[in-house]
Amino acid sequence: MENIYDTIVIGGGLSGLKTAYDLKKSNLNILVLEARNRYGGRTDSIKIGNGWVDAGGQWLGTNNPSLKQLCKELNLETYKQYYTGKTVFDFDDNGEIKSLDESSLNFDLKDVGIGFIRPIVEVISKISRNIDFSKTSKENPIMLSLEKLTVSEWLEISGFGESIKFFNWFCKMTVASSSNDISILFLLKYVNSCSSIEGLFISDDECTESDRVIGGSMMVSERMVSFIKNCKLNCEVISIDQISQSNKRLVKITTSNGEIYYCRNVVSTIPPVLLKRVEFKPELPMEKQRLKNEMEMGNTIKVIIIYDSTFWRDQGFNGKVQSFNGPIYQAFDNCTHDLSIKSIVGFIIGKDELKNWYTKSKDQRKSAVLNQLSRYWGPKALNPIHYIERNWNEEKYSSGCFMGVCKPGNIISQCNNYYREPHGKIHWAGTETSNQWYGHMEGAINSSKRVVNEILKNSIISKL
C-alpha cells in the first residue's frame, strides 16, 4: 500500500486549503486534491500587465476578522474599497437616476425612493435574530411554515407587497437568486449569518465590500499552497470508500484519472450540488442525500470593464451602482491600489437574468452593459480597452456562484445541521457549512476552524 495520509482534503479553495494549512501546522501528514487546474475555488485572480482583476470572490467585509488575520499571517496587504464620491441609484421605473454620497450623515433611504423598506427590514432582522440556525429542529413550526414560502410569497402574505421589487433585487445582489426562487427561511438564514441587512447593500460601517487583497484574492490560496506543499491539481475525486479495505481505519480515495490514495480522515469541501458526482461507500445519510439533490447554486456572470482612465472618479462618482433595471444590478470601482488597472466590476445575476442574457451574444451583452454605464457617467463608458466576462454557472467544478441556495420545501428545517455532521471518517467544510458569513470567503475560513478541531480531536483519541 502506498503512502497513508493522516488527512486528505478534497478541494483547493479557501476552506480546504485553510484546513490543510492548520493541520500541517499540527504536524499531520496532509494531501490536498483539487479537481481544477488552479487553486482558489470560487476565487480566481487574472494577471493583466502589472495588475490583476478578480473574476471570483474578492472582498473582505468590515466584520471579517478570520480572513483579515489570515492575510496578515500570510504577509498579504489589503487596501480599502474606493467609496469616495457619489453612488448611482437606478431604482426608478421611469428612468430617473439619483446620485448621492452614502457616507453623508444626511443620507437616507427615502432619498433614493426606498424609504418604505425600513419596516420590513426591521421585521426580517428581528425574525432572523430569533431563529437559532445552529440548533434547528425538525419540529420547529415557525421554520416549517417559513420554508414553504418564497421570499415574494411571504412578503405578499405579510402585507409588504410593495417591497417585492426591492427584495427581488436584494436577493439577486446578495445570493444571486431571485425572490421567486428561494425560500424566505433561506434568506433569513443568510441574513442571520451576516452583520446586518443594510450592510449587505449600503456602504456603511458594517459593509460586506470593505477591503481587497493586493495582488488578488487568489493570493490567499497560493500562499497557503506554498506552505502546505503537498497539493495536487487536476485530481477530481470520484469515489470515497470507507468499507472495502481490510484495514477499516483507512479510507480509499479514487480520482477520475485512476489514482488511488489512502488516509485516516477525509475533509470534503465539495459544494452540495457537486456531491452527485462522487460515489460514497457507504452511501450518505438521507439528510445529506437531500442536500446534494435539492440545493441549487446561485446564478452569476461577473463582468469586468477595464478603461484607460478613472473618468467616473473625475466626475465625483465612486463607481458604485445600485440598479433595479440592469443588466448590471450592482457595480463597484474595481481599480487596483496603484491604479495599474482602472476598471469597473458588475454583476448580471439571477436565474431569469442568465436565461435572458445568455440567449444573446457576448457583443450584445457588452453593448447593453456599456450603454447602461454611459447613462450614469457619459460617453467615455462606451470605450473600454478590455471587456471580461466570467459565467460561473459554466464552471464545471462550481456550477454557479456565489453560494448554494435553498428553494421552498423543508431541507433547511430537516437537514440544515446534518450537513456538518461527520459521515464516518468524512468531515465537511466549505462556506455552505458555515453559520457565520454563509457564502462569503469569511464563511469558508470559519468552516475550516470547526473541521480542524474535529480532526485533531479524533487524532488524539486514536492515539489513546
Side-chain angles (χ1 to χ4, degrees), residues 16 92 106 120 125 156 161 165 171 213 218 244 268 307 336 338 369 376 391 423 442 459 463:
D92 195 275
N106 297 320
I120 185 57
S125 298
E156 193 69 57
K165 187 172 184 179
C171 291
V213 178
M218 203 165 75
S244 299
S268 171
Y307 293 99
T336 54
D338 58 0
V369 168
Y376 311 142
N391 184 347
H423 175 52
E442 179 79 358
S459 297
K463 292 175 181 178

Side-chain angles (χ1 to χ4, degrees), residues 270-297 405-407 411 415 419 428:
I270 303 170
V273 296
L274 299 182
L275 291 175
K276 302 187 201 65
R277 301 178 185 172
V278 182
E279 179 185 27
F280 290 89
K281 296 180 182 179
E283 278 281 5
L284 296 176
M286 180 272 291
E287 291 85 359
K288 284 188 171 66
Q289 295 272 7
R290 288 195 58 198
L291 287 164
K292 76 173 184 177
N293 291 325
E294 297 179 38
M295 283 189 75
E296 300 177 349
M297 289 298 287
V405 299
C406 297
K407 57 189 176 184
I411 56 173
C415 308
Y419 187 36
W428 309 87

Side-chain angles (χ1 to χ4, degrees), residues 179-382:
S179 58
N180 296 314
D181 292 329
I182 59 171
S183 73
I184 181 63
L185 186 64
F186 174 74
L187 181 62
L188 292 168
K189 171 184 165 71
Y190 174 73
V191 169
N192 179 275
S193 79
C194 299
S195 55
S196 70
I197 291 181
E198 290 91 339
L200 292 166
F201 72 97
I202 296 296
S203 302
D204 61 10
D205 291 339
E206 296 185 346
C207 175
T208 53
E209 295 90 12
S210 171
D211 298 87
R212 296 184 61 196
V213 178
I214 293 178
S217 58
M218 203 165 75
M219 290 285 291
V220 179
S221 295
E222 291 174 349
R223 290 280 173 92
M224 287 193 286
V225 168
S226 296
F227 174 79
I228 300 162
K229 291 185 171 55
N230 205 10
C231 303
K232 293 189 175 185
L233 295 172
N234 302 305
C235 289
E236 178 185 2
V237 171
I238 60 172
S239 173
I240 304 175
D241 184 351
Q242 301 188 71
I243 60 177
S244 299
Q245 287 63 251
S246 56
N247 184 346
K248 298 302 180 184
R249 292 188 175 186
L250 297 182
V251 183
K252 179 182 178 183
I253 306 288
T254 306
T255 67
S256 59
N257 52 19
E259 295 177 349
I260 294 174
Y261 302 92
Y262 296 91
C263 61
R264 297 179 179 86
N265 289 287
V266 178
V267 176
S268 171
T269 68
I270 303 170
V273 296
L274 299 182
L275 291 175
K276 302 187 201 65
R277 301 178 185 172
V278 182
E279 179 185 27
F280 290 89
K281 296 180 182 179
E283 278 281 5
L284 296 176
M286 180 272 291
E287 291 85 359
K288 284 188 171 66
Q289 295 272 7
R290 288 195 58 198
L291 287 164
K292 76 173 184 177
N293 291 325
E294 297 179 38
M295 283 189 75
E296 300 177 349
M297 289 298 287
N299 297 266
T300 307
I301 302 173
K302 191 170 187 179
V303 179
I304 300 164
I305 311 104
I306 301 176
Y307 293 99
D308 60 6
S309 70
T310 56
F311 57 87
W312 58 94
R313 292 189 184 185
D314 298 338
Q315 298 173 49
F317 292 95
N318 60 23
K320 184 176 178 182
V321 173
Q322 313 269 46
S323 172
F324 285 175
N325 302 306
I328 296 295
Y329 274 73
Q330 191 173 48
F332 295 88
D333 183 298
N334 197 50
C335 299
T336 54
H337 66 297
D338 58 0
L339 295 182
S340 59
I341 298 291
K342 307 169 188 69
S343 68
I344 295 291
V345 61
F347 301 89
I348 301 173
I349 38 184
K351 189 185 298 182
D352 52 344
E353 294 297 320
L354 263 69
K355 184 177 180 180
N356 172 40
W357 287 103
Y358 251 72
T359 62
K360 298 174 172 57
S361 68
K362 182 177 180 180
D363 283 343
Q364 287 174 310
R365 291 192 297 276
K366 176 181 177 181
S367 177
V369 168
L370 298 183
N371 280 318
Q372 179 186 358
L373 298 185
S374 72
R375 290 175 53 229
Y376 311 142
W377 305 318
K380 289 185 178 180
L382 296 171

Side-chain angles (χ1 to χ4, degrees), residues 101-108 111:
D101 185 346
E102 293 178 87
S103 66
S104 169
L105 294 176
N106 297 320
F107 176 77
D108 194 289
D111 297 332

Side-chain angles (χ1 to χ4, degrees), residues 14 40 43-47 50-60 67 71 74 76-79 211-223 302 334-337 441:
L14 286 173
T43 65
D44 186 10
S45 305
I46 302 170
K47 302 297 182 185
N50 294 322
W52 80 93
V53 294
D54 281 310
Q58 67 182 66
W59 283 289
L60 292 76
L67 187 52
C71 288
L74 296 172
L76 290 170
E77 295 183 65
T78 61
Y79 68 104
D211 298 87
R212 296 184 61 196
V213 178
I214 293 178
S217 58
M218 203 165 75
M219 290 285 291
V220 179
S221 295
E222 291 174 349
R223 290 280 173 92
K302 191 170 187 179
N334 197 50
C335 299
T336 54
H337 66 297
M441 294 192 289

Side-chain angles (χ1 to χ4, degrees), residues 115-142:
F116 60 86
I117 70 166
R118 286 215 177 274
I120 185 57
V121 165
E122 291 175 6
V123 170
I124 289 176
S125 298
K126 183 177 180 180
I127 296 174
S128 68
R129 287 195 302 268
N130 289 334
I131 297 177
D132 187 350
F133 285 96
S134 68
K135 299 177 181 178
T136 52
S137 167
K138 292 185 178 183
E139 309 302 323
N140 187 320
I142 296 176

Side-chain angles (χ1 to χ4, degrees), residues 1-12:
M1 186 177 291
E2 297 183 10
N3 187 24
I4 298 172
Y5 297 93
D6 291 316
T7 301
I8 290 179
V9 178
I10 302 172

